[in-house]
Amino acid sequence: MTTNLENRESHSLEIRAFEAHDEADVVGLWYACNLVVPQNDPRKDILRKLRVQRDLFLVGLSNGHLVATVMSGYDGHRGWINYLAVAPTCRRLGFGRRMMEAAELRLRELGCPKINLQVRRSNTEAVDFYRFLGFLEDESISLGKRLLQD
């Protein structure tokens, strides 16, 4: 599914599902956006996502260049958002909002009642962005347990 969107400033963004040839650009974008942490190998994360709901892994292209990503999923109870990224040179153009709208649309079509996401507390810019989109801080504690070491 490909969506062509334009905003008031005439910045176009084509949103489509991830394709194999996007991998290097996606990994480069994630590094540029400081989303890669030592305990997560981005290439392994991509391979894992391609095994489950691959159509919920979206990329955004502007003028033929990959400038945005969002990886979402739905487990039948909650939706999750991961790896929302917009190239630093393309921020404040509405691309992040449009990537989220595309992910939310797909999750809604699956019957998803609520979306969860995690943001590092130190990433105040991202927290402010998600709050602008209507996300609220839940009264919960995020716990994790690694099953595989990357």
Short mmCIF file of all heavy atoms in Angstrom, two decimals, residues 76-114:
data_model
loop_
_atom_site.label_atom_id
_atom_site.label_comp_id
_atom_site.label_asym_id
_atom_site.label_seq_id
_atom_site.Cartn_x
_atom_site.Cartn_y
_atom_site.Cartn_z
N GLY A 76 -3.18 -8.31 19.35
CA GLY A 76 -4.56 -8.67 19.64
C GLY A 76 -5.10 -7.98 20.87
O GLY A 76 -6.30 -7.99 21.13
N HIS A 77 -4.22 -7.35 21.62
CA HIS A 77 -4.61 -6.62 22.83
C HIS A 77 -4.18 -5.16 22.75
O HIS A 77 -4.97 -4.26 22.99
CB HIS A 77 -4.01 -7.29 24.07
CG HIS A 77 -4.35 -6.62 25.36
ND1 HIS A 77 -5.63 -6.55 25.86
CD2 HIS A 77 -3.56 -5.97 26.25
CE1 HIS A 77 -5.61 -5.88 27.01
NE2 HIS A 77 -4.38 -5.52 27.27
N ARG A 78 -2.93 -4.94 22.39
CA ARG A 78 -2.37 -3.59 22.29
C ARG A 78 -1.52 -3.48 21.04
O ARG A 78 -0.89 -4.43 20.61
CB ARG A 78 -1.48 -3.25 23.50
CG ARG A 78 -2.22 -3.15 24.80
CD ARG A 78 -3.00 -1.83 24.89
NE ARG A 78 -3.62 -1.69 26.18
CZ ARG A 78 -4.92 -1.87 26.42
NH1 ARG A 78 -5.73 -2.21 25.43
NH2 ARG A 78 -5.41 -1.71 27.62
N GLY A 79 -1.47 -2.26 20.53
CA GLY A 79 -0.54 -1.95 19.45
C GLY A 79 0.72 -1.36 20.05
O GLY A 79 0.70 -0.80 21.15
N TRP A 80 1.80 -1.50 19.32
CA TRP A 80 3.08 -0.97 19.77
C TRP A 80 3.73 -0.19 18.63
O TRP A 80 3.61 -0.58 17.47
CB TRP A 80 4.02 -2.09 20.21
CG TRP A 80 3.66 -2.61 21.56
CD1 TRP A 80 2.79 -3.61 21.86
CD2 TRP A 80 4.13 -2.10 22.81
NE1 TRP A 80 2.69 -3.77 23.22
CE2 TRP A 80 3.51 -2.85 23.83
CE3 TRP A 80 5.01 -1.08 23.17
CZ2 TRP A 80 3.75 -2.62 25.19
CZ3 TRP A 80 5.24 -0.85 24.51
CH2 TRP A 80 4.63 -1.62 25.49
N ILE A 81 4.42 0.86 18.99
CA ILE A 81 5.18 1.67 18.04
C ILE A 81 6.65 1.59 18.42
O ILE A 81 7.01 1.75 19.59
CB ILE A 81 4.74 3.15 18.08
CG1 ILE A 81 3.27 3.29 17.68
CG2 ILE A 81 5.65 4.02 17.20
CD1 ILE A 81 2.94 2.96 16.26
N ASN A 82 7.49 1.32 17.43
CA ASN A 82 8.94 1.30 17.60
C ASN A 82 9.58 1.98 16.41
O ASN A 82 9.00 2.06 15.33
CB ASN A 82 9.45 -0.15 17.68
CG ASN A 82 8.96 -0.87 18.91
OD1 ASN A 82 9.36 -0.56 20.02
ND2 ASN A 82 8.07 -1.83 18.72
N TYR A 83 10.79 2.44 16.61
CA TYR A 83 11.63 2.97 15.54
C TYR A 83 10.95 4.05 14.71
O TYR A 83 11.13 4.11 13.49
CB TYR A 83 12.12 1.84 14.63
CG TYR A 83 13.24 1.01 15.22
CD1 TYR A 83 13.05 -0.33 15.54
CD2 TYR A 83 14.49 1.58 15.45
CE1 TYR A 83 14.09 -1.09 16.06
CE2 TYR A 83 15.53 0.83 15.98
CZ TYR A 83 15.32 -0.51 16.28
OH TYR A 83 16.36 -1.25 16.79
N LEU A 84 10.18 4.94 15.36
CA LEU A 84 9.74 6.13 14.63
C LEU A 84 10.97 7.00 14.47
O LEU A 84 11.61 7.37 15.46
CB LEU A 84 8.64 6.88 15.38
CG LEU A 84 8.23 8.19 14.70
CD1 LEU A 84 7.53 7.93 13.37
CD2 LEU A 84 7.34 9.02 15.61
N ALA A 85 11.31 7.31 13.24
CA ALA A 85 12.49 8.11 12.97
C ALA A 85 12.22 9.05 11.80
O ALA A 85 11.56 8.66 10.83
CB ALA A 85 13.68 7.21 12.62
N VAL A 86 12.71 10.27 11.92
CA VAL A 86 12.66 11.24 10.83
C VAL A 86 14.06 11.83 10.73
O VAL A 86 14.64 12.25 11.73
CB VAL A 86 11.62 12.34 11.07
CG1 VAL A 86 11.68 13.40 9.98
CG2 VAL A 86 10.21 11.76 11.16
N ALA A 87 14.59 11.86 9.52
CA ALA A 87 15.93 12.42 9.31
C ALA A 87 16.01 13.81 9.94
O ALA A 87 15.09 14.61 9.80
CB ALA A 87 16.22 12.50 7.81
N PRO A 88 17.09 14.09 10.66
CA PRO A 88 17.22 15.39 11.31
C PRO A 88 17.00 16.58 10.36
O PRO A 88 16.43 17.59 10.77
CB PRO A 88 18.65 15.37 11.86
CG PRO A 88 18.91 13.91 12.13
CD PRO A 88 18.22 13.19 10.99
N THR A 89 17.39 16.44 9.10
CA THR A 89 17.21 17.54 8.15
C THR A 89 15.77 17.69 7.67
O THR A 89 15.44 18.66 7.00
CB THR A 89 18.11 17.34 6.92
OG1 THR A 89 17.79 16.07 6.32
CG2 THR A 89 19.58 17.38 7.29
N CYS A 90 14.91 16.74 8.02
CA CYS A 90 13.50 16.75 7.57
C CYS A 90 12.52 16.93 8.70
O CYS A 90 11.31 16.74 8.52
CB CYS A 90 13.19 15.46 6.81
SG CYS A 90 14.10 15.28 5.29
N ARG A 91 13.00 17.29 9.86
CA ARG A 91 12.10 17.47 11.00
C ARG A 91 11.34 18.79 10.87
O ARG A 91 11.75 19.70 10.17
CB ARG A 91 12.89 17.41 12.30
CG ARG A 91 13.44 16.00 12.48
CD ARG A 91 14.02 15.74 13.81
NE ARG A 91 14.45 14.34 13.85
CZ ARG A 91 15.38 13.90 14.66
NH1 ARG A 91 15.97 14.72 15.50
NH2 ARG A 91 15.72 12.62 14.64
N ARG A 92 10.22 18.85 11.54
CA ARG A 92 9.34 20.02 11.55
C ARG A 92 8.63 20.23 10.21
O ARG A 92 8.17 21.32 9.91
CB ARG A 92 10.09 21.29 11.95
CG ARG A 92 10.85 21.16 13.24
CD ARG A 92 10.11 21.79 14.38
NE ARG A 92 10.90 21.75 15.60
CZ ARG A 92 10.52 21.06 16.67
NH1 ARG A 92 9.42 20.37 16.66
NH2 ARG A 92 11.25 21.07 17.75
N LEU A 93 8.54 19.15 9.42
CA LEU A 93 7.81 19.21 8.14
C LEU A 93 6.53 18.39 8.20
O LEU A 93 5.83 18.27 7.20
CB LEU A 93 8.70 18.69 7.00
CG LEU A 93 9.99 19.46 6.73
CD1 LEU A 93 10.82 18.77 5.64
CD2 LEU A 93 9.68 20.90 6.34
N GLY A 94 6.24 17.80 9.35
CA GLY A 94 5.03 16.99 9.50
C GLY A 94 5.22 15.53 9.16
O GLY A 94 4.27 14.76 9.18
N PHE A 95 6.46 15.12 8.84
CA PHE A 95 6.69 13.74 8.43
C PHE A 95 6.46 12.75 9.57
O PHE A 95 5.89 11.68 9.37
CB PHE A 95 8.09 13.56 7.86
CG PHE A 95 8.33 14.25 6.54
CD1 PHE A 95 9.59 14.29 6.00
CD2 PHE A 95 7.30 14.85 5.84
CE1 PHE A 95 9.84 14.91 4.77
CE2 PHE A 95 7.53 15.48 4.62
CZ PHE A 95 8.79 15.51 4.09
N GLY A 96 6.90 13.08 10.77
CA GLY A 96 6.70 12.19 11.91
C GLY A 96 5.22 12.00 12.19
O GLY A 96 4.76 10.87 12.43
N ARG A 97 4.47 13.08 12.16
CA ARG A 97 3.03 13.00 12.36
C ARG A 97 2.37 12.13 11.30
O ARG A 97 1.53 11.28 11.60
CB ARG A 97 2.41 14.41 12.35
CG ARG A 97 0.89 14.42 12.49
CD ARG A 97 0.31 15.83 12.38
NE ARG A 97 0.82 16.59 11.26
CZ ARG A 97 0.40 16.46 10.00
NH1 ARG A 97 -0.51 15.56 9.69
NH2 ARG A 97 0.91 17.21 9.04
N ARG A 98 2.79 12.29 10.05
CA ARG A 98 2.19 11.51 8.97
C ARG A 98 2.57 10.03 9.06
O ARG A 98 1.76 9.15 8.75
CB ARG A 98 2.56 12.10 7.62
CG ARG A 98 1.75 13.39 7.40
CD ARG A 98 1.94 13.92 6.03
NE ARG A 98 2.99 14.93 6.12
CZ ARG A 98 3.61 15.44 5.08
NH1 ARG A 98 3.32 15.05 3.87
NH2 ARG A 98 4.53 16.36 5.25
N MET A 99 3.79 9.74 9.49
CA MET A 99 4.17 8.34 9.69
C MET A 99 3.32 7.71 10.80
O MET A 99 2.84 6.58 10.67
CB MET A 99 5.66 8.22 10.03
CG MET A 99 6.60 8.64 8.91
SD MET A 99 6.46 7.67 7.40
CE MET A 99 7.10 6.08 7.96
N MET A 100 3.10 8.46 11.88
CA MET A 100 2.26 7.96 12.97
C MET A 100 0.82 7.77 12.50
O MET A 100 0.17 6.79 12.86
CB MET A 100 2.33 8.90 14.17
CG MET A 100 3.64 8.79 14.94
SD MET A 100 3.88 7.17 15.71
CE MET A 100 2.56 7.19 16.92
N GLU A 101 0.30 8.71 11.72
CA GLU A 101 -1.07 8.57 11.21
C GLU A 101 -1.20 7.31 10.35
O GLU A 101 -2.20 6.59 10.45
CB GLU A 101 -1.46 9.80 10.38
CG GLU A 101 -1.71 11.04 11.21
CD GLU A 101 -1.87 12.30 10.37
OE1 GLU A 101 -1.64 12.26 9.13
OE2 GLU A 101 -2.22 13.35 10.96
N ALA A 102 -0.20 7.03 9.54
CA ALA A 102 -0.23 5.83 8.70
C ALA A 102 -0.19 4.57 9.56
O ALA A 102 -0.93 3.60 9.30
CB ALA A 102 0.93 5.84 7.71
N ALA A 103 0.65 4.56 10.59
CA ALA A 103 0.72 3.40 11.48
C ALA A 103 -0.59 3.24 12.24
O ALA A 103 -1.11 2.12 12.35
CB ALA A 103 1.89 3.56 12.46
N GLU A 104 -1.14 4.34 12.75
CA GLU A 104 -2.39 4.27 13.50
C GLU A 104 -3.53 3.77 12.62
O GLU A 104 -4.36 2.98 13.07
CB GLU A 104 -2.73 5.64 14.08
CG GLU A 104 -1.85 6.03 15.24
CD GLU A 104 -2.18 7.41 15.80
OE1 GLU A 104 -3.30 7.92 15.56
OE2 GLU A 104 -1.31 7.97 16.50
N LEU A 105 -3.59 4.21 11.38
CA LEU A 105 -4.63 3.75 10.46
C LEU A 105 -4.56 2.23 10.30
O LEU A 105 -5.58 1.54 10.39
CB LEU A 105 -4.48 4.44 9.10
CG LEU A 105 -5.42 3.93 8.01
CD1 LEU A 105 -6.86 4.27 8.34
CD2 LEU A 105 -5.03 4.55 6.67
N ARG A 106 -3.38 1.71 10.06
CA ARG A 106 -3.23 0.27 9.88
C ARG A 106 -3.59 -0.50 11.14
O ARG A 106 -4.23 -1.55 11.09
CB ARG A 106 -1.81 -0.05 9.42
CG ARG A 106 -1.59 0.32 7.95
CD ARG A 106 -0.12 0.52 7.61
NE ARG A 106 0.09 0.85 6.22
CZ ARG A 106 -0.07 2.06 5.70
NH1 ARG A 106 -0.46 3.06 6.46
NH2 ARG A 106 0.16 2.29 4.41
N LEU A 107 -3.20 0.04 12.31
CA LEU A 107 -3.54 -0.62 13.57
C LEU A 107 -5.05 -0.57 13.81
O LEU A 107 -5.65 -1.56 14.24
CB LEU A 107 -2.77 0.02 14.72
CG LEU A 107 -1.27 -0.26 14.73
CD1 LEU A 107 -0.57 0.63 15.74
CD2 LEU A 107 -0.98 -1.72 14.99
N ARG A 108 -5.66 0.57 13.54
CA ARG A 108 -7.11 0.70 13.69
C ARG A 108 -7.85 -0.30 12.81
O ARG A 108 -8.84 -0.91 13.22
CB ARG A 108 -7.54 2.14 13.33
CG ARG A 108 -8.66 2.66 14.17
CD ARG A 108 -9.04 4.10 13.86
NE ARG A 108 -8.18 5.05 14.55
CZ ARG A 108 -7.29 5.85 13.96
NH1 ARG A 108 -7.12 5.85 12.66
NH2 ARG A 108 -6.56 6.68 14.67
N GLU A 109 -7.37 -0.48 11.58
CA GLU A 109 -7.98 -1.45 10.66
C GLU A 109 -7.91 -2.88 11.19
O GLU A 109 -8.74 -3.71 10.84
CB GLU A 109 -7.32 -1.36 9.28
CG GLU A 109 -7.68 -0.10 8.52
CD GLU A 109 -6.87 0.10 7.25
OE1 GLU A 109 -5.86 -0.61 7.04
OE2 GLU A 109 -7.25 0.99 6.46
N LEU A 110 -6.94 -3.16 12.04
CA LEU A 110 -6.81 -4.48 12.66
C LEU A 110 -7.65 -4.61 13.93
O LEU A 110 -7.66 -5.66 14.56
CB LEU A 110 -5.34 -4.77 12.99
CG LEU A 110 -4.41 -4.93 11.78
CD1 LEU A 110 -2.96 -5.01 12.24
CD2 LEU A 110 -4.79 -6.17 10.99
N GLY A 111 -8.33 -3.53 14.32
CA GLY A 111 -9.15 -3.54 15.53
C GLY A 111 -8.40 -3.17 16.79
O GLY A 111 -8.90 -3.39 17.90
N CYS A 112 -7.24 -2.58 16.67
CA CYS A 112 -6.41 -2.22 17.82
C CYS A 112 -7.07 -1.10 18.62
O CYS A 112 -7.35 -0.03 18.09
CB CYS A 112 -5.04 -1.77 17.31
SG CYS A 112 -3.93 -1.25 18.61
N PRO A 113 -7.30 -1.32 19.94
CA PRO A 113 -7.96 -0.31 20.76
C PRO A 113 -7.03 0.72 21.39
O PRO A 113 -7.47 1.81 21.78
CB PRO A 113 -8.65 -1.13 21.85
CG PRO A 113 -7.74 -2.31 22.02
CD PRO A 113 -7.19 -2.60 20.64
N LYS A 114 -5.74 0.41 21.52
CA LYS A 114 -4.81 1.32 22.20
C LYS A 114 -3.40 1.05 21.71
O LYS A 114 -3.03 -0.09 21.44
CB LYS A 114 -4.87 1.10 23.72
CG LYS A 114 -3.96 2.05 24.49
CD LYS A 114 -4.01 1.82 25.99
CE LYS A 114 -3.15 2.86 26.68
NZ LYS A 114 -2.27 2.33 27.67
#
